[in-house]
Amino acid sequence: MNILKGRRAVIYCEGCFGSKTSKVAASYLRYCGSDCVAVIDSDKAGQRVVDILGYGKGIPIISGLEQLGKIKPDVFMIGFGLFSNVLPSAVRESIKQALLLKMDVVSGLHFKLADDPELSALAHQYDCQIWDTKEPSRHLRTSNNRLVNKDNFIIHTVGSDCRVGKKTTALEIAAECRRQGISAVMAATGQSGMYITGNGIAVDAVPADFIAGASEDLVLDLCDENKWILVEGQGAISHPAYSGVTLGLLHGVMPQALVLCHQANLTHHKGWPDSPLRSLSELISMYEQLGSYMRKSKVVAISVNCEGMGTDEAEKYLIKVEQETGLPATDVILFGASKLVKCLHQFIGEETQVAC
């Protein structure tokens, strides 16, 4: 189910709208901003999305649904995540207001809205849909090496930390591939990627035993129509909280190529001041070793999020990364993804020569 496609959405980000604090909203607005009529955040009401994110021109920020006026959105989207499965009372009241206005509701929260008696009754009364994206498939199974004989080229974006650009890198590589005539798609593994692409699973809602199998199924479903499959990464292999989902994805999708994503000048895992990042060289070694159990997996390039830097400063930082790792590096937002696609083409050529 994707109740967002071709419909007008209002995005709820009360008290937290920003590139880091409302990651779901920021991602959706970058790629699907034309489908958004407004963002709700009373702290920033009166401003525009472009003032905060640098993109999303023409989209207003309002204090609440009562300010919509003649604008009639179809969908109420929650544009942020929470670190628990408890639904705050203020969020509940806003969802109820949206349902009373006959809007469908899209949520990536761990709290299941559709299972809540009050919200479910309102949705039924006003003929609305609730899409809880953190709802795993009903057909879960463990992985069993079904991708090893596929001819598809599977590329997986992995990270030095959370929120460093894994999804953005995968989307930009896939888009550049299509511009070059290569059939390519991003396999979404989180809710914002699902909203943008219309495919995928919220892998952090899948029981641990089935993460690899669910991600394997996701890739298999995309193999027939796409030669290159860009699998969106989650977490980081060295992250104290999220390494489990990272490893499950890595083993399930069996990538031939990896693109390591990093945020410029980041030294510690976000929110974990006592957990310093491993060096990029060490991370490359870890990802290659852990990803090569069933077939060889190699990091072929580095994607660096240089947000906040000018182009000159970013170029200097990228040169430093290339010198440290011996791999090509770029920022896909500042400089595009063509450099990464070229690296991936070269990797395919090298692998073909080895096979012969």
Side-chain angles (χ1 to χ4, degrees), residues 270-335:
K270 297 184 179 85
W272 291 74
D274 297 324
S275 179
L277 291 191
R278 304 300 181 103
S279 70
L280 294 179
S281 296
E282 187 175 1
L283 286 166
I284 289 167
S285 177
M286 291 168 64
Y287 276 116
E288 289 183 345
Q289 181 179 5
L290 292 170
S292 295
Y293 285 142
M294 301 305 295
R295 64 176 171 188
K296 185 178 179 182
S297 188
K298 181 174 175 56
V299 176
V300 301
I302 314 294
S303 177
V304 183
N305 176 356
C306 296
E307 184 178 7
M309 292 182 173
T311 54
D312 289 345
E313 185 182 5
E315 285 175 344
K316 291 178 182 177
Y317 190 87
L318 292 170
I319 290 171
K320 178 183 174 183
V321 168
E322 290 183 337
Q323 290 172 342
E324 176 186 345
T325 64
L327 294 173
T330 194
D331 180 311
V332 296
I333 297 300
L334 287 176
F335 306 113

Side-chain angles (χ1 to χ4, degrees), residues 139-308:
H139 306 288
L140 294 172
R141 56 183 173 182
T142 57
S143 60
N144 64 1
N145 200 28
R146 286 168 286 159
L147 289 169
V148 71
N149 294 318
K150 288 287 185 180
D151 293 331
N152 305 77
F153 184 28
I154 301 170
I155 307 113
H156 185 26
T157 55
V158 294
S160 61
D161 195 22
C162 303
R163 305 189 304 279
V164 295
K166 296 180 287 290
K167 174 178 67 271
T168 300
T169 297
L171 284 165
E172 293 295 329
I173 292 175
E176 179 60 28
C177 285
R178 293 192 292 270
R179 281 191 285 270
Q180 296 184 19
I182 305 165
S183 61
V185 67
M186 185 186 86
T189 60
Q191 64 265 25
S192 51
M194 294 167 66
Y195 301 161
I196 293 164
T197 65
N199 76 65
I201 54 171
V203 72
D204 59 349
V206 176
D209 279 358
F210 303 111
I211 290 174
S215 52
E216 180 182 49
D217 282 341
L218 171 62
V219 174
L220 282 167
D221 287 344
L222 297 171
C223 279
D224 288 344
E225 297 182 5
N226 303 279
K227 187 64 177 175
W228 288 25
I229 299 172
L230 282 298
V231 182
E232 173 193 9
Q234 298 291 335
I237 200 64
S238 56
H239 198 291
Y242 305 121
S243 57
V245 70
T246 306
L247 187 60
L249 274 172
L250 187 63
H251 286 170
V253 305
M254 297 181 62
Q256 297 101 322
L258 301 168
V259 176
L260 177 59
C261 303
H262 177 61
Q263 183 176 321
N265 295 320
L266 189 65
T267 58
H268 291 71
H269 289 294
K270 297 184 179 85
W272 291 74
D274 297 324
S275 179
L277 291 191
R278 304 300 181 103
S279 70
L280 294 179
S281 296
E282 187 175 1
L283 286 166
I284 289 167
S285 177
M286 291 168 64
Y287 276 116
E288 289 183 345
Q289 181 179 5
L290 292 170
S292 295
Y293 285 142
M294 301 305 295
R295 64 176 171 188
K296 185 178 179 182
S297 188
K298 181 174 175 56
V299 176
V300 301
I302 314 294
S303 177
V304 183
N305 176 356
C306 296
E307 184 178 7

